[in-house]
């Protein structure tokens, strides 16, 4: 299979962009597989392999890499090596190295390990927040407000990921007014970045377009990221809907790894290499080198002990050509002799 490191398609130059023609428009991709993906795996990926994967993702050109999570090792044993990994990765200029932190102690650990950005999580669904985080929303907000203050004092960036924006697996649709209220509370704390998360793959394109456009209109100074899962096969369609509504930041996961313990049957996050491949074909500029990314994704099955959802890792890009059949000339001669 031939996989040349060449443009996937030729695109006309122009200033107008749409979901179908990016016209060189920049999209910033945030790789979350090392955290959101590996935390769901039953096997412990060796520390040196995590570091190598992080370095490969940096070399591929991601705008942000969520490296790990500074949670309790008993809660997420697969990421118990957070400090070592964050300290020993190679840092590429232009890439932000992020980590999920659940509380002030996790924030202190992350800051000590030279994390560029703290990613904080709570749910806009009260039921999901209690089931997932074992806290009420008020308790979560109070804890995260402490972390925001700690990070601001240390001069470290903060992003808040709001879960279940597009639906809760236990409550159903979450009222938009609830979503906007939580965004506003974090904006009032001075948080510059908010991720709108489709935590369990309940989002659909027209809903994504409406919510993304409304959020950007209400808070034009906030850096909104969209986070999708491919649970019901709509991850890429939702990403395109978000881009059409003006989004320029997307989370994605190497190999399509990920999931959620509160969504039975849920598959992983939208797949990084599938997003990069699709956006490149449509003329968007992600800054990500697809062959390098595919090489990283193709290492995953051996590391985690099972196949990955990524279709591009199996099939290759659309111009990954195959040789003709060995008896092609004989086929031609028979055809011409008829």
């Amino acid at each position: 299979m031939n996989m040349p490191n060449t443009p996937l398609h030729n695109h006309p130059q122009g200033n107008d962009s749409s979901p179908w023609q990016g016209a060189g428009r920049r999209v910033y991709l945030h790789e979350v597989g090392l955290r959101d993906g590996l935390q769901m795996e039953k096997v412990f990926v060796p520390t040196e392999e995590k570091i190598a994967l992080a370095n490969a993702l940096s070399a591929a050109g991601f705008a942000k890499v969520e490296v790990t999570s500074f949670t309790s090792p008993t809660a997420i044993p697969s990421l118990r090596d957070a400090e070592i990994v964050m300290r020993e990765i190679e840092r590429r200029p232009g890439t932000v190295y992020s980590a999920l932190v659940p509380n002030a102690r996790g924030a202190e650990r992350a800051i000590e390990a030279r994390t560029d950005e703290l990613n904080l999580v709570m749910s806009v669904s009260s039921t999901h927040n209690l089931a997932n985080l074992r806290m009420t929303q008020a308790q979560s907000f109070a804890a995260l407000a402490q972390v925001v203050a700690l990070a601001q004092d240390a001069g470290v960036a903060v992003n808040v990921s709001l879960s279940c924006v597009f639906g809760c697996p236990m409550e159903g649709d979450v009222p938009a007014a609830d979503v906007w209220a939580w965004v506003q509370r974090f904006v009032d704390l001075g948080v510059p970045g908010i991720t709108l998360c489709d935590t369990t793959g309940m989002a659909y394109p027209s809903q994504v377009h409406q919510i993304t456009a409304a959020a950007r209109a209400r808070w034009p100074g906030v850096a909104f990221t969209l986070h999708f899962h491919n649970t019901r096969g709509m991850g890429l369609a939702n990403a395109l809907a978000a881009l059409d509504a003006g989004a320029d930041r997307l989370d994605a996961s190497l190999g399509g790894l990920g999931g959620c313990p509160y969504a039975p049957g849920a598959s992983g996050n939208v797949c990084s290499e599938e997003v990069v491949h699709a956006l490149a074909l449509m003329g968007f500029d992600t800054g990500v080198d697809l062959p390098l990314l595919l090489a990283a994704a193709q290492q995953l099955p051996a590391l985690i002990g099972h196949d990955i959802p990524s279709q591009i890792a199996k099939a290759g890009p659309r111009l990954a050509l195959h040789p003709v059949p060995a008896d092609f000339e004989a086929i031609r001669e028979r055809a011409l002799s008829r």
Side-chain angles (χ1 to χ4, degrees), residues 146-183:
Q146 291 181 346
V147 175
V148 171
L150 190 158
Q152 289 170 340
D153 288 344
V156 175
V158 174
N159 182 83
V160 171
S161 291
L162 295 176
S163 303
C164 294
V165 166
F166 301 92
C168 169
M170 292 162 279
E171 292 182 11
D173 286 325
V174 176
D178 293 355
V179 176
W180 305 147
W182 286 112
V183 172

Side-chain angles (χ1 to χ4, degrees), residues 277-299:
H277 178 255
L279 295 188
L281 287 171
M282 292 183 281
F284 290 90
D285 173 17
T286 66
V288 177
D289 184 300
L290 182 60
L292 290 181
L293 183 57
L294 280 171
Q298 288 161 348
Q299 297 176 40

Side-chain angles (χ1 to χ4, degrees), residues 1-4 8 277 294 312 314-323:
M1 186 166 64
N2 180 30
M3 292 174 55
L8 299 174
H277 178 255
L294 280 171
I312 300 299
K314 301 178 181 72
R318 64 176 291 269
L319 291 181
L321 305 181
H322 299 264

